[in-house]
Amino acid sequence: MTTRRRWGLAAVVVAIYAFLLAPFVVLALSSLSGGEAYYISFPPRGLSTRWYLAIPASYLRSFAVSVAIGVASALAAGLLGVAAALGIVRGRYRRKELLKAFFRAPLQIPLVVSGVVFLQFYYVLFGLTGVRLLESFTGLLLAHVFISLPFVVGTVCAVLEKFDRRLEEAAYSLGASRWTTFRRVTLPVIRPGVFAGMLYAFIVSFGNVPVSLFLVGPRLTTLPVDLFYSMEYDFNPSILALSTLVVVFSVLTILLLQRLMGMDVLVRAGAKE
Amino acid sequence: MSGVLLEEVTKRYGEVVGVRDLGLEVREGEFLTLLGPSGCGKTTTLRLIAGFLHPEQGRILVGGRDVTALPPQQRGIGMVFQDYVLFPHLTVEENIGFGLRERGAPRDEIRRRVREMLELVRLPEIGGRLPRELSGGQQQRVALARAVAYAPRLLLMDEPLGALDLKLREAMQIELHRIQRALGMTTIYVTHDQEEAFSLSDRIAVLEGGRLIQVGTPRELYRAPRNQFVAHFVGKINFLRGTVLDGVGPVASVKLEDGHQIRVRAPGPLRPGASVCVAVRPEALRVWAGAPEPQPEAVPGLNRLDGVLERVRYAGNFTHLFIRITENCTLLAEVGGERAELHTGEPVRAGWAPEDTLLWQEGDAS
Ligand SMILES: Nc1ncnc2c1ncn2[C@@H]1O[C@H](COP(=O)(O)OP(=O)(O)O)[C@@H](O)[C@H]1O
Ligand SMILES: [Mg+2]
């Protein structure tokens, strides 16, 4: 590649990043505004952390709920997703594509519709059995697993399709049982894909508004829904501060996971060993 | 250690035949090679023995025990795959120790044995590395060490050197031979490379289209190939077609398609008029310049064909001569050293002894 082309490419990349990051920069700078104004001021007037100190402690509760739901969804979707992907990739049936499409379906249904459907479903269920899922952790979790499962199934299917089954045969011939082989060979090799999928699942769950909106209530709510209502009815710049913290939290989570679990392994797994 | 017996084993993949009615005996401690072109069923045979596939018909015995219905875990067989298939997330030591660990060997024992194996394959320094940090040749040795570490009864190798370049492959052949002899393990080896098969094997089984064609020592296969396929696959050979003139007695006379008459060592009585295929190895041919001068008569009883030297290929320790006899018949002769008196485009005479001729009746597979 010529130098000029390379510079051109670099410029395009920078422009795209600038476009993607601009909203966050506005958000972060506004949250640091020193003014008294109860509206978004950009560019900020003076810098201060006063809005950060003014974040109401009540958000802590919804933050905790969001983290708990996110982690639980990631774990549940991870477990179900690996099982589903194994069935899809390893099963012997002719209509595999159909099965794949089935597991992708939650992505194709608008989230708001999914939210309404879960709401209706929980109503009906309550009417029929007396089991109350609305405004409950379990109810929220089920809906979040529903919307995040396709991400795990997708990534795990991708790594399983590339997986060399002879690794398992090698383990069998060395005396390992099927379960041991799965635990000591298959799972470690596909782990990057599983983690990537679970990370997606966490992020999808953690940031979700449209589905949660229908299923939460005053007794149990998630941070994004809490923020959403505050923006609507009760704006103050502390919300900007909190939003900024949420973004920073998400980025740190991803970096930490990358550190701990070696997400770069995924890139390497893609390249042929 | 133990022998292997395949009894009329058949395995199909839907419509496609993997192997058919395969009967084969591998003796204890023997190095037996399955040789044949790609798609002839070599891998299928190995995978049946390893237990990754199950036959529709027939039985498989290892060490006298019927293992046909046993899963691979219970067969006690070590397997080396073509492109190594090492566990990518485990170190070399962990790879080699895998089988021992699964069999519940104590830690010290595993460590000692892994050391031993690394010494055996001459890689004592690399125990802590991951497979991707090794060269192809090193990975192959580790794969071998992994397969034999827990001292299986039987070692299977599927084209283990196929992915290596020529020089390394030759070096590894010597290594493999040394290691197999050191362990004394019954070994079934797969290759499509005849030279490799010859340099390693006690005996070779030639497969074609899922069937066993012939089993024998390299010498037997070379000297007495059962059919044209084996003759052609094992070394170079010249084929000639003709009809029997006189088939009584140990030496038959055959009239070639171009009218020449030759004498051939007959495997048994032949019906006059029967179509036959005769063959002669390139190194059995002797070549003289300046035919049709009658020098070959100096050696009585020699078959001879006259032709034109079409091409000379000098290969250092030998020379290949391509001799055009007729429009659609060219003989390949392999002669020692350099033959400066032979020139392309000039007439030559090729001669060979009747005992050096092979003969098969046409339309007769065996
Ligand atoms: N998994 C499979 N599905 C369908 N056909 C197969 C499969 N494996 C092998 N075959 C077919 O079986 C025949 C023998 O294959 P194989 O044992 O792999 O041959 P080789 O190892 O000698 O090249 C070939 O015709 C091949 O196409
Ligand atoms: Mg093969």
Side-chain angles (χ1 to χ4, degrees), chain A residues 162 164 167 189 265-273, chain B residues 83-90 130-134 139:
Chain A
K162 267 192 302 198
D164 185 351
L167 283 169
V189 173
V265 176
L266 188 62
V267 183
R268 261 188 272 143
K272 183 116 173 61
E273 287 281 319
Chain B
D83 31 16
Y84 328 130
V85 197
L86 294 172
F87 304 125
H89 57 294
L90 300 181
L130 287 173
R132 65 167 160 275
E133 295 162 351
L134 307 180
Q139 288 190 45

Side-chain angles (χ1 to χ4, degrees), chain B residues 39 42-44 82 158-159 190:
Chain B
K42 306 182 295 290
T43 298
T44 303
Q82 170 160 5
D158 192 355
E159 310 211 16
V190 161

